[in-house]
Each structure stands twice: as C-alpha cells, then as structure tokens.
Amino acid sequence: MKKTLIACMIILLVSGALFASSSWIGGQGVVSYQKNTTTVLAAEQENTTTLAGLNLAGTIYPGDMPLGIGFQVGASKIFKATNDSTELEWEDYPLTWNGGVMAKFRANMTEMIALELGAGLMYERTITTYDFGPYESNTTLNTLSMLTAADVVIHLSDSLALIGGVGLSFPLTTKGTYEDNLNISYEEEFDVKGYTLSGKVGVGFGF
C-alpha cells in the first residue's frame, strides 16, 4: 500500500512538472551581505551591511519562449552594520526598499528542474544613522545597480514550485542626502564602489 501511494505521488509530481507553467510569481526570504566604499566630500568610508528581508518576485515568459522578464520588489532590515570597522547602532534603522527588473533566460535541466539566469537593473533606498554623543546624522542613499541572478526552479506540481538562488549586484550611480543636528545638509551624487551578494529561497505559483 505504501509503495502504491509513493508511486502515485511520484507520477503526480512528474506529470505536473511536464505541464507546469514556466511563468511564476511568489515570495522569497532574502539574506544579503553588502560591502562598499563610499566617498563623501573627498573622504572615504568603508561600509559593510548584513540584511534580511522578504521579496515579491517572479518571472513572466511569453508563450513557450525561454526568454522572459523577471522582477522583484521587497524590503529588508539591517541587522549588522559597520563603518570603518566601527559597529553601528542599527536597531533603529528603517527598512531598506528595493525594486528590480531583469531579462531572464530559462534552461530546463530535467522535467522538474529549471535554471534561470538573469541580468538587469535594481533600485535601492537605504537610510543609515550615526550617533556619537550629542552628534547625530542621517544619510539617505538612492542607488541604481546592475543586478545579476541565478535561480533554480523545482516544480512540485503544475502550479507550485520551490525557488532558490543567488544574486550579485554592483552600484552604478548613487545619489545621497546628508543631514545632521549641526544644521549641515547637502545632496549630491556619491561615489560608491562595491558589491551586494544575496541568497534567496521561497515558493512560487505558476500561471
């Protein structure tokens, strides 16, 4: 009896994968590590940030074409941050918001597993604060980055899949606003060099 049930489940999973839709939308948990060098008023700052959050993501393929459009929209929370090796008080940092769009290529590895490779652009808004005694400052960074991604899609049925992967992004341009309690404020394009490495896993629904 158990063998029969297992065989039936395997048949259902395989048959579902055969007719599974390539397009999907779903939710993903994301953990990111960011390292960059920011030049502000000719002064360089070495920054590292670790974030965790959630993304609404998906890929749309027109018809049976292996080329599609991927997207992601989400928010994450900083839970570790350093500035020039000094650990910052990150508990009160607001959420970091992001949105991206990519061109994606899909390669079917097996009847149930597909590999998606993508490249595109991502926008990210980050606000950081720095407190030292009576001195307080806020820096808001609006960053446009080049985004690359590799995702593995494992079909569990014709409408349900597990999706996991990695992403790597590089800042292209960053516009920032700086304010402090000494009435100093300015807005300019910051020189930011570095990278963000992300790992993600979630569930997608085919359509």
Side-chain angles (χ1 to χ4, degrees):
M1 184 66 177
K2 290 183 178 179
K3 292 182 178 179
T4 303
L5 289 175
I6 293 173
C8 290
M9 290 178 64
I10 293 174
I11 292 172
L12 287 173
L13 288 174
V14 173
S15 61
L18 288 172
F19 299 99
S21 171
S22 298
S23 300
W24 61 271
I25 185 171
Q28 295 180 325
V30 183
V31 176
S32 301
Y33 174 77
Q34 187 178 86
K35 184 176 183 179
N36 60 54
T37 301
T38 304
T39 303
V40 183
L41 298 180
E44 286 191 352
Q45 299 177 357
E46 299 285 342
N47 304 290
T48 64
T49 308
T50 306
L51 309 97
L54 295 172
N55 278 353
L56 175 67
T59 306
I60 300 173
Y61 293 96
D64 296 327
M65 293 182 60
L67 297 178
I69 298 175
F71 66 89
Q72 67 177 53
V73 179
S76 56
K77 178 68 176 177
I78 295 174
F79 63 90
K80 185 176 182 181
T82 63
N83 180 283
D84 289 334
S85 300
T86 301
E87 188 162 346
L88 304 179
E89 298 292 335
W90 48 266
E91 288 84 357
D92 295 328
Y93 283 10
L95 293 175
T96 295
W97 296 90
N98 75 84
V101 61
M102 291 179 287
K104 275 197 168 183
F105 172 76
R106 178 186 176 96
N108 293 319
M109 310 300 291
T110 69
E111 294 176 343
M112 296 181 63
I113 301 175
L115 175 66
E116 291 186 348
L117 301 175
L121 297 174
M122 179 180 69
Y123 165 80
E124 189 175 53
R125 178 180 176 87
T126 305
I127 300 176
T128 59
T129 61
Y130 182 74
D131 297 330
F132 185 76
Y135 175 76
E136 297 179 1
S137 67
N138 292 318
T139 303
T140 302
L141 299 179
N142 297 291
T143 303
L144 181 67
S145 301
M146 181 181 71
L147 174 64
T148 61
D151 297 315
V152 175
V153 182
I154 303 174
H155 291 284
L156 303 180
S157 70
D158 58 345
S159 60
L160 181 64
L162 294 178
I163 297 125
V166 294
L168 186 63
S169 62
F170 306 92
L172 298 175
T173 179
T174 300
K175 291 187 177 180
T177 301
Y178 174 88
E179 298 176 326
D180 63 25
N181 58 353
L182 301 178
N183 295 322
I184 298 175
S185 64
Y186 55 86
E187 182 176 354
E188 65 175 39
E189 186 167 331
F190 290 4
D191 182 14
V192 180
K193 299 177 182 178
Y195 65 89
T196 301
L197 179 64
S198 302
K200 49 194 173 179
V201 64
V203 177
F205 300 92
F207 63 92

